[in-house]
Amino acid sequence: MGMETESQFHVLAVDDSLFDRKMIERLLQKSSCQVTTVDSGSKALEFLGLRVDDEDPNVLSTSPHIHQEVEINLIITDYCMPGMTGYDLLKKVKESAAFKSIPVVIMSSENVPARISRCLEEGAEEFFLKPVKLADLTKLKPHMMKTKLKKESEKSAKEEESEVSKPEIEEEEAVIEILPLHQELESEQLETIVSSSNKRKAMEEVISTDRSRPKYNDITTSV
Amino acid sequence: MNTIVVAQLQRQFQDYMVSLYQQGYLDNQFTELRKLQDEGSPDFVAEVVSLFFDDCAKLINDMSISLERPDHVDFKQVDSGVHQLKGSSSSVGARRVKNVCIAFKECCDVQNREGCLRCLQQVDYEYKMLKTKLQDLFNLEQQILQAGGTIPQVDIN
């Protein structure tokens, strides 16, 4: 409402239940996000522009028809889905060079601590217990801000580079360059996330202490 | 606009809403749902609730088919149905329906067909009861709007 399209966050929501898709869509819209909903993990990957190799399903390649115009700032997915689970989707996103920087949030109606820690270990930013509330979504902003700022910094860093080198190496250099600028912001965000309490999250202690610090280090050194 | 009529209707609406919470038909999640409704999505609650009731009817029908033959019960299908029903009732704030689902799941886990059938009957009853109640609530809303009034914010505490 009254926001420019460029500054709005775009979230990709994945859930096999029509009902849940409608809910999460409204929740996100109410939180001023642009939303795209899909009903499966494979459709989510398709939307991102990742193609599953027919011969080896473990190999993901970037489709030549990659959706460059659609910048996704966050993926929020249900855990329990037929075929590709939310966990499988998380893994595929984190294994992809092009998209592993996109924050992923998992939702589940079941409070299974082992499941939660597995997802967080695999790189999920948050784990929401359903039903998801409006208040839960305020936790997403810091994660989405990070990717937007990073992308903007990378853009200007890349413009400074005169040659076009291999993506992986170049981006790592770019990240190291922006580190000092980034560090301050990240520690602020870290404090915000650590201090905010989520009564409904079973592994609160785990994520606020052990997970958070190593996690942030990972993000700053890899793409 | 007849302000007295509007005030009466608003009072009726408020009281009815509170009673639904007090009698356990609705819980806090329904309040959360109402937060998502605004001028941009003025019918959100009605739409979601309608979707929910359609889901109920379909899932209950599918589960009754799975439970029909005593010698051939597809408990996996029933479990899947209960899981979905529990999820959506929870999201909507349909407290009684959700509670039956919890008991239903337990019967399903131990493959108790009789128990499942009882729960199925109960969940059918509860969702239909809630449907009637919410229909009355929405009708009151419409009456208020037609009389030129606004829907009051109801504080449930």
Side-chain angles (χ1 to χ4, degrees):
Chain A
M1 307 244 158
M3 264 193 182
E4 290 168 2
T5 332
E6 299 94 338
S7 57
Q8 243 195 340
F9 295 121
H10 192 153
V11 179
L12 178 63
V14 191
D15 204 311
D16 61 315
S17 153
L18 169 66
F19 179 88
D20 288 342
R21 280 200 303 280
K22 198 167 165 79
M23 289 293 298
I24 195 69
E25 182 186 54
R26 190 79 265 273
L27 278 160
L28 287 164
Q29 284 169 348
K30 193 79 183 162
S31 306
S32 310
C33 293
Q34 248 186 298
V35 195
T36 299
T37 59
V38 291
D39 64 7
S40 71
S42 44
K43 291 225 181 99
L45 293 174
E46 255 182 70
F47 182 82
L48 289 170
L50 283 168
R51 196 183 39 173
V52 180
D53 193 305
D54 286 334
E55 285 163 47
D56 184 354
N58 290 316
V59 175
L60 284 176
S61 51
T62 311
S63 157
H65 310 292
I66 191 170
H67 292 248
Q68 289 284 14
E69 333 84 52
V70 183
E71 186 192 291
I72 295 294
N73 302 112
L74 188 123
I75 298 168
I76 184 164
T77 178
D78 187 27
Y79 183 92
C80 280
M81 293 190 293
M84 194 185 291
T85 66
Y87 179 76
D88 298 329
L89 175 61
L90 166 68
K91 274 188 82 176
K92 294 233 190 285
V93 168
K94 293 301 165 188
E95 280 162 12
S96 111
F99 302 109
K100 56 179 162 178
S101 61
I102 302 179
V104 181
V105 170
I106 311 277
M107 305 180 280
S108 177
S109 52
E110 289 160 324
N111 187 345
V112 181
R115 176 185 292 184
I116 297 171
S117 51
R118 200 158 61 110
C119 289
L120 294 175
E121 274 158 35
E122 197 59 44
E125 306 292 337
E126 304 275 351
F127 192 102
F128 290 159
L129 283 174
K130 285 181 174 178
V132 177
K133 296 180 157 71
L134 260 177
D136 294 326
L137 297 193
T138 57
K139 295 196 181 74
L140 301 184
K141 287 266 154 51
H143 300 301
M144 296 191 286
M145 281 299 304
K146 226 174 356 162
T147 46
K148 250 196 148 49
L149 285 165
K150 195 172 174 212
K151 284 204 159 90
E152 274 155 31
S153 305
E154 274 176 3
K155 266 189 211 156
S156 45
K158 271 193 177 139
E159 273 154 25
E160 284 166 26
E161 303 252 340
S162 49
E163 47 168 347
V164 180
S165 46
K166 287 196 180 107
E168 202 111 37
I169 302 159
E170 186 188 55
E171 279 176 38
E172 271 194 275
E173 283 174 0
V175 171
I176 290 165
E177 270 183 53
I178 63 158
L179 201 66
L181 183 78
H182 221 51
Q183 207 69 319
E184 217 175 296
L185 197 67
E186 281 191 61
S187 53
E188 266 175 64
Q189 289 169 350
L190 178 65
E191 272 162 47
T192 320
I193 290 162
V194 167
S195 61
S196 71
S197 59
N198 181 359
K199 292 167 197 142
R200 287 156 61 249
K201 212 184 287 182
M203 303 293 283
E204 190 187 359
E205 301 234 322
V206 175
I207 63 123
S208 66
T209 54
D210 298 335
R211 277 252 348 122
S212 301
R213 291 207 171 271
K215 179 168 67 81
Y216 277 104
N217 289 341
D218 284 344
I219 285 170
T220 54
T221 55
S222 66
V223 179
Chain B
M1 175 172 93
N2 187 334
T3 45
I4 296 172
V5 168
V6 167
Q8 279 177 340
L9 287 169
Q10 285 174 329
R11 189 56 207 254
Q12 237 185 304
F13 173 81
Q14 219 153 347
D15 290 346
Y16 194 64
M17 178 88 98
V18 170
S19 76
L20 290 178
Y21 280 82
Q22 284 177 341
Q23 289 167 48
Y25 287 102
L26 298 172
D27 63 27
N28 186 55
Q29 188 53 31
F30 189 75
T31 318
E32 289 292 318
L33 209 68
R34 291 190 85 224
K35 284 186 196 170
L36 299 175
Q37 187 160 287
D38 55 26
E39 306 85 54
S41 291
D43 303 311
F44 178 70
V45 178
E47 283 169 12
V48 159
V49 153
S50 171
L51 245 180
F52 168 66
F53 291 137
D54 288 346
D55 261 4
C56 284
K58 184 177 188 306
L59 289 167
I60 288 167
N61 184 56
D62 291 346
M63 287 190 287
S64 81
I65 292 168
S66 297
L67 286 163
E68 211 170 345
R69 287 174 49 189
D71 57 331
H72 199 75
V73 179
D74 186 355
F75 281 108
K76 222 178 151 195
Q77 193 282 330
V78 179
D79 184 70
S80 161
V82 176
H83 179 85
Q84 284 182 67
L85 210 51
K86 179 165 173 269
S88 50
S89 61
S90 176
S91 294
V92 152
R95 189 176 159 275
R96 287 200 187 181
V97 177
K98 183 188 75 175
N99 286 341
V100 177
C101 288
I102 293 169
F104 201 156
K105 182 159 191 343
E106 283 168 17
C107 291
C108 200
D109 288 344
V110 297
Q111 306 210 333
N112 175 359
R113 181 176 171 266
E114 287 301 317
C116 283
L117 285 169
R118 276 196 300 272
C119 289
L120 186 71
Q121 205 174 34
Q122 217 185 334
V123 89
D124 187 66
Y125 172 82
E126 289 297 343
Y127 104 81
K128 283 172 176 163
M129 179 67 105
L130 181 63
K131 192 172 176 182
T132 323
K133 301 269 176 192
L134 287 181
Q135 196 53 61
D136 289 344
L137 192 71
F138 295 144
N139 286 342
L140 271 171
E141 270 188 347
Q142 286 308 307
Q143 283 178 56
I144 294 170
L145 294 173
Q146 276 161 22
T150 52
I151 314 296
Q153 292 292 335
V154 184
D155 186 21
I156 314 288
N157 265 312

